[in-house]
Amino acid sequence: MKTAVVNLGKIITGDWRNPVANGDTIICDGGTIVQVGTADAARVEECDVVIDAAGAVAIPGLIDSHVHITFGDYTPRQKTVGFLESYVHGGVTTAITASEVHVPGRPKDPAGVKALAVAASKSFQQWRPGGMRVHAGSVILEPGLTEADFDDLKAQGVWLAKAGFGAFATPYEYKPMIQWARARGMITTVHTGGSSIPGSSGIWAEHILALDPDVSFHVNGGPVAMPDEGFPRLVNESRVALQVCTAGNLRTTLWLSKLVREQEQFDRFLIATDTPTGSGIMPLGMLYTITHLASLADLPVEWAIAAATGNNARTYRLNSGFIAAGHDADLVVIDACSGGSKDDALAALTNGDIVAVSALVTDGVPRFVGRSRNTPEGIRKVRVARSSVVQDFSGGAH
Ligand SMILES: [Zn+2]
């Protein structure tokens, strides 16, 4: 299937160093972006679906790198079905598991944590809720796992490992397992801040520095922040990616965005939601953190979008997260909401407003065009200009 998006007012690339692409057209062929910028009429003509963006803005599909998935499109913590599909209507095209820690009665023995990660990983490989790509299956590090277990996990396709909820006496005891996982090319993540589960200990900067994982999960607090002294230390004394989450401490999120810019460490700044949790289900969580940073921390809005897209993609080695030829065909058309004070999406986000998600494409397939179920209507009429496939693209929003 070939999909074209034409008449774009602006194309945001997801790369904060080079945040805007020239031109007004994006062409996807199969699951890949093949052209960004201008396309001749014949190239657009051969597409199966042409979306007229009417001057709205394209951004890469948002990558939420901290989602509490379990199995299916169900969250046991909030007893709700369909939340992942609902996040698609908030512009999220990729979810990365924060480990399947919410599975009721989850196993804690080595065989059990391995089986859980393998089953979760494989169950989402062929299934896209609402069109979303879900990277599931993060092994929860528990006492008793051996180096050979990490060989097994890697052979089964598990590439994520999570420290923070294991039955260890101190966080320092995760260190050998994190090294085993990293040695096998796995992305290692560590819970940061106060405990989110009763009885689990706080994990602060000194622990993260000693463990040296790939990602400090919810470094701003999940949901309770570590002491302030730890933030400059993590920026200056480590290479760890620093993930800020919507369901955490907003003050430290805003402050950290300034620290990483001052120290020229912006590649390490990632946006995620840490939901569903006790904080709820937040389909617009990624957009809220983008607008909080753009309106309250003086972060250029294109950089805030990059932290939610390209920065996550680089850290997790995904091929999505950028609007550029050769990358996954995951993109979102956003617009200022009708009735607001701003007339384009970027000005609205900088003003502190949520934006309309007016169209969304994943894997080269339009999932809805015109109106998201979860945002107000945009001021521009984004529509399917031409289609030769049998589908109405309303996505259930009427
Ligand atoms: Zn979490």
Side-chain angles (χ1 to χ4, degrees):
M1 177 169 174
K2 291 185 183 175
T3 301
V5 186
V6 301
N7 290 333
L8 286 160
K10 207 166 212 182
I11 299 171
I12 303 300
T13 62
D15 178 358
W16 62 272
R17 288 186 179 84
N18 188 15
V20 180
N22 294 324
D24 62 1
T25 299
I26 300 168
I27 294 181
C28 310
D29 187 351
T32 306
I33 295 170
V34 293
Q35 195 166 355
V36 176
T38 50
D40 56 48
R43 195 87 196 265
V44 173
E45 194 56 38
E46 68 187 30
C47 288
D48 303 290
V49 179
V50 178
I51 298 169
D52 181 349
V57 175
I59 64 172
L62 302 174
I63 300 172
D64 187 343
S65 57
H66 197 122
V67 182
H68 281 278
I69 61 141
T70 56
F71 289 95
D73 195 353
Y74 173 63
T75 162
R77 181 57 57 88
Q78 293 299 339
K79 304 190 193 318
T80 300
V81 294
F83 78 97
L84 289 167
E85 198 222 345
S86 206
Y87 281 39
V88 173
H89 281 257
V92 179
T93 58
T94 300
I96 305 175
T97 184
S99 80
E100 287 69 30
V101 75
H102 287 177
V103 168
R106 72 171 178 88
K108 297 180 177 171
D109 60 301
V113 291
K114 284 171 61 184
L116 178 60
V118 171
S121 167
K122 293 189 178 181
S123 80
F124 279 98
Q125 276 169 21
Q126 302 304 322
W127 182 54
R128 287 173 166 266
M132 177 192 280
R133 166 60 72 201
V134 179
H135 295 287
S138 177
V139 63
I140 302 162
L141 301 182
E142 290 279 6
L145 285 168
T146 65
E147 200 160 359
D149 288 325
F150 288 85
D151 288 329
D152 278 358
L153 286 162
K154 183 181 162 81
Q156 294 300 320
V158 173
W159 59 280
L160 295 160
K162 154 77 177 271
F165 295 133
F168 293 95
T170 84
Y172 297 110
E173 292 175 26
Y174 287 112
K175 175 121 193 181
M177 289 184 190
I178 287 174
Q179 289 174 332
W180 294 338
R182 288 195 78 159
R184 286 155 183 80
M186 296 169 77
I187 301 285
T188 55
T189 61
V190 179
H191 176 102
T192 311
S195 57
S196 65
I197 284 188
S200 71
S201 64
I203 299 180
W204 294 358
E206 54 267 38
H207 302 116
I208 300 294
L209 290 169
L211 297 175
D212 190 29
D214 294 282
V215 183
S216 165
F217 261 178
H218 45 64
V219 66
N220 61 315
V224 175
M226 66 180 173
D228 277 4
E229 307 85 87
F231 288 88
R233 289 198 68 193
L234 287 187
V235 173
N236 296 323
E237 298 173 36
S238 83
R239 302 295 308 162
V240 177
L242 304 168
Q243 178 196 67
V244 296
C245 289
T246 314
N249 183 314
L250 177 59
R251 181 184 64 82
T252 57
T253 293
L254 301 176
W255 179 42
L256 183 64
S257 75
K258 292 178 182 166
L259 291 178
V260 293
R261 286 173 73 198
E262 283 162 12
Q263 300 304 318
E264 298 180 8
Q265 297 293 311
F266 194 72
D267 276 325
R268 295 163 56 202
F269 189 73
L270 315 180
I271 294 175
T273 65
D274 190 15
T275 59
T277 42
S279 301
I281 297 162
M282 301 177 72
L284 305 186
M286 295 293 287
L287 290 173
Y288 273 114
T289 296
I290 289 168
T291 188
H292 292 160
L293 286 160
S295 63
L296 299 174
D298 290 328
L299 189 68
V301 63
E302 298 88 352
W303 289 37
I305 291 166
T309 58
N311 284 8
N312 273 316
R314 276 200 201 94
T315 299
Y316 285 88
R317 301 180 211 132
L318 305 181
N319 194 42
S320 55
F322 296 97
I323 295 184
H327 285 271
D328 294 350
D330 294 351
L331 57 101
V332 185
V333 178
I334 58 174
D335 194 10
C337 294
S338 72
S341 65
K342 302 298 167 190
D343 62 8
D344 75 77
L346 301 183
L349 288 167
T350 306
N351 189 52
D353 289 327
I354 207 73
V355 286
V357 177
S358 299
L360 183 140
V361 174
T362 69
D363 202 26
V365 179
R367 306 297 173 169
F368 59 87
V369 178
R371 174 97 192 250
S372 152
R373 285 206 313 263
N374 288 332
T375 66
E377 216 167 359
I379 58 179
R380 292 169 179 79
K381 178 102 185 104
V382 179
R383 64 188 183 91
V384 176
R386 185 172 61 70
S387 174
S388 60
V389 301
V390 182
Q391 191 182 330
D392 77 354
F393 302 114
S394 70
H398 287 289

